[in-house]
Amino acid sequence: MASSTDIPPPPPEALVDKTALTFLNQAPVCAETPAHALDDAITPVERIYMRNNGRIPTKLDAQGWTLRIDGEVEQALDLSLDALKADFETVTYALQMECAGNGRAFFEAETPGEPWSTGAISCAAWTGVRLADVLARARPTAKAVYTAHYGADGSDEEGYPISRGVPIAKALEPHTLLAWTVNGEPLPIAHGFPLRLVIPGWPASVSHKWLRRIWIRDREHDGPRMLGTAYRMPKRPLRPDEPFTDDDMAVMGPMPVRSLITHPADNAAVPLVHPFEIRGHAWAGERTVARVDVSLDGGRVWEEAELDGPANPYAWQHWRLETVLPSPGEYEVLARATDSEGDTQPIGSAPWNPGGYANNAAHRVVLRAG
Ligand SMILES: Nc1nc2c(c(=O)[nH]1)N[C@H]1C(S)=C(S)[C@@H](COP(=O)(O)O)O[C@H]1N2
Ligand SMILES: [Mo]
């Protein structure tokens, strides 16, 4: 994730009010959300992290906007936003979107890319149409195997900072949306105005912003940030100093299970011997979260938290534990989620990988009692 310093900063209107976020980079604009600022059940727009690979586009015209769908389809389509809204069923879902590099800062050996800690995750309410319904009108051919996404932060002449895609089965999943509204408001420029993909559970890099074209391909897409170590994981464990080839790497699929402690904030003071609530969210790519355990002593003793089901598939799940801190001092609090297949979060760090992806280490905060 090389960041070029010759990309000018975005116009102020692109930024909504993002003062709650921690900026990692201005060019391209990347900012993550502190864990305590993610306490809401539905992430407010001001608190959705921002990840860009190029410049945030400014000349965006919703009136003249068209989405082109072409390639391996019987019927290529050019759809206006009005046509999308009028011709297909509109749905709203709470959908988690997590950057593949979330947690990169916790790898012991450095990797290239933005040093996200825990805040490249959001779960907002997205409104739009199912990509499956739109593709049904285009009628993919028998050779359709993969999508390829293109947005207004690039052009055929100058190239695209990113163009990723998903297997056709993921594109046809009923929670894969073409969205124009977030939390009941039009998309802000920073989050893809006027139209974006929301493909929950996978690296959020496939949820293309400022979406202009979906090319249906007869093979795995090979656009910018599909090859090499970009959004690819080793098929076998690799040591940081070990040589590897392209054949050792495969495109990332669903994100792993993870949880956040959103309250109390890291370093908060908590009244002694007084019951209080530790709470947060947990999510698990395409799976559900089966349990969340909390430790007050750095991982020696664990207690199971109360866990809600998801509001809909791909929504994060809320958890809480009422507890007391019995004596004065510092408490190292950990939360560890386990998914429906029994996979659980590592303590400390997930295994290193060349691109620095999917580090779903258990979240740790320090609380002070006394
Ligand atoms: N057009 C376009 N879409 C994009 C990107 C981009 O750089 N350009 N970045 C992707 C990545 S890597 C992530 S993590 C998400 C972030 O979405 P957000 O900024 O709305 O939170 O957008 C994805 N969609
Ligand atoms: Mo990302």
Side-chain angles (χ1 to χ4, degrees), residues 48-84:
I48 298 177
Y49 76 94
M50 294 189 289
R51 199 303 185 226
N52 299 287
N53 289 267
R55 188 179 177 174
I56 295 175
T58 48
K59 295 195 186 70
L60 298 160
D61 169 23
Q63 287 301 316
W65 196 267
T66 53
L67 171 66
R68 180 158 185 84
I69 297 186
D70 60 6
E72 288 296 337
V73 292
E74 303 287 350
Q75 176 66 63
L77 303 175
D78 282 296
L79 294 159
S80 67
L81 290 177
D82 285 347
L84 274 178

Side-chain angles (χ1 to χ4, degrees), residues 51 99-100 205 231:
R51 199 303 185 226
C99 183
S205 53
Y231 303 105

Side-chain angles (χ1 to χ4, degrees), residues 49-51 53 153 162 191 196 204 207-210 231:
Y49 76 94
M50 294 189 289
R51 199 303 185 226
N53 289 267
D153 55 341
I162 185 169
H191 296 296
R196 81 174 297 169
S207 292
H208 216 81
K209 301 189 274 192
W210 316 293
Y231 303 105

Side-chain angles (χ1 to χ4, degrees), residues 10-19 23 26 29 50 56 189-190:
E13 71 269 22
L15 294 178
V16 199
D17 173 8
K18 295 287 186 176
T19 45
F23 278 73
Q26 283 290 353
V29 174
M50 294 189 289
I56 295 175
I189 292 175

